[in-house]
């Protein structure tokens, strides 16, 4: 209900929220929080979270044998520990098979020796002289040079050769590289002048 007039205006109940009362864009917008893991603002840095677990569940009554059972000292975590002992049993039965005797084998010498034997020289004829397999003698080979620049097995010092006088920029150098007068044959005068009379005997 509207109240009495106060001066030139009459007070009335608020029709909606006032923007000056909020620091956010508006009361209908909700910004995500910066604490916790759920609903965290994705645009802000989030520190690693550590969970605090509660107490363990109570142990079941039938989880372990309990003190009412007696475990022998030979029972280990890997099983029962037994000292090595020999078993007294009957002799094992063997199946009788017919095997070959010594007379079934031959001891004649074979072409291929199967056992290590001492070296023995055999008496054979002299081998034929094969001329096609003759190797070159000592005089066939030549030793590499040990002097001069072209050596194969030794270190060669710098070598200087005595050459003739260079023709570079001399009066005898043919810069045009044209043939000289002696390179052409003599042309007969009858070719370019009046031919003289010839008389035959």
């Amino acid at each position: 209900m509207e109240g009495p007039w106060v001066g030139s205006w009459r007070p009335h109940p608020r029709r909606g929220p006032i923007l000056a009362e909020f620091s956010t864009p508006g009361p209908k917008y909700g910004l995500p929080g910066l604490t916790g893991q759920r609903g965290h603002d994705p645009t802000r840095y989030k520190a690693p979270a550590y969970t605090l677990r509660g107490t363990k569940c109570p142990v079941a009554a039938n989880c372990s044998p309990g003190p009412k059972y007696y475990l022998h000292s030979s029972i280990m975590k890997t099983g029962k520990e037994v000292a090595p002992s020999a078993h007294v049993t009957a002799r094992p039965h063997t199946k009788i098979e017919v095997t070959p005797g010594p007379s079934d084998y031959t001891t004649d010498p074979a072409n291929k020796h199967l056992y290590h034997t001492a070296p023995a020289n055999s008496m054979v004829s002299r081998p034929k002289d094969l001329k096609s397999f003759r190797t070159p003698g000592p005089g066939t080979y030549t030793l590499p040079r040990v002097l001069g620049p072209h050596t194969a097995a030794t270190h060669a010092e710098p070598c200087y050769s005595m050459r003739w006088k260079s023709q570079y920029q001399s009066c005898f150098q043919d810069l045009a590289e044209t043939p000289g007068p002696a390179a052409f044959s003599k042309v007969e005068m009858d070719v370019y002048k009046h031919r003289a009379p010839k008389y035959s005997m």
Side-chain angles (χ1 to χ4, degrees):
M1 296 180 62
E2 297 181 356
W5 286 88
V6 178
S8 62
W9 63 281
R10 177 182 295 180
H12 57 80
R14 184 187 305 177
R15 298 179 181 178
I18 301 175
L19 185 62
E21 297 180 353
F22 304 95
S23 60
T24 58
K28 67 177 182 179
Y29 298 100
L31 297 178
L34 300 179
T35 58
Q37 292 293 324
R38 297 182 180 180
H40 193 277
D41 190 357
T43 61
R44 301 296 180 179
Y45 177 77
K46 180 170 59 175
Y50 302 95
T51 57
L52 299 176
R53 301 188 64 180
T55 58
K56 295 183 179 180
C57 300
V59 181
N62 56 355
C63 182
S64 62
K68 64 178 181 179
Y69 297 99
Y70 171 73
L71 298 178
H72 197 268
S73 59
S74 61
I75 302 300
M76 301 294 179
K77 64 178 181 179
T78 56
K80 187 176 181 181
E81 183 180 4
V82 182
S85 60
H87 298 279
V88 180
T89 58
R91 185 177 181 180
H93 297 279
T94 57
K95 185 178 180 181
I96 299 176
E97 297 180 357
V98 179
T99 57
S103 60
D104 294 336
Y105 300 96
T106 176
T107 57
D108 296 338
N111 295 331
K112 183 179 179 181
H113 295 284
L114 301 179
Y115 303 97
H116 294 284
T117 58
N121 298 326
S122 58
M123 300 295 293
V124 294
S125 60
R126 185 176 182 180
K128 296 181 180 181
D129 189 8
L130 302 177
K131 295 183 179 180
S132 60
F133 292 96
R134 285 185 178 180
T135 56
T140 310
Y141 302 96
T142 56
L143 296 176
R145 298 176 56 182
V146 295
L147 297 177
H150 303 288
T151 58
T154 58
H155 178 71
E157 298 294 337
C159 181
Y160 305 94
S161 58
M162 300 295 294
R163 300 190 62 183
W164 55 87
K165 186 178 181 180
S166 175
Q167 298 292 336
Y168 180 70
Q169 293 183 353
S170 66
C171 59
F172 301 102
Q173 185 182 9
D174 187 10
L175 300 177
E177 297 182 357
T178 56
F184 301 97
S185 60
K186 183 178 180 181
V187 182
E188 297 290 339
M189 295 177 63
D190 296 339
V191 176
Y192 56 91
K193 286 188 175 183
H194 295 284
R195 181 180 298 177
K198 293 182 179 181
Y199 303 92
S200 60
M201 295 298 294

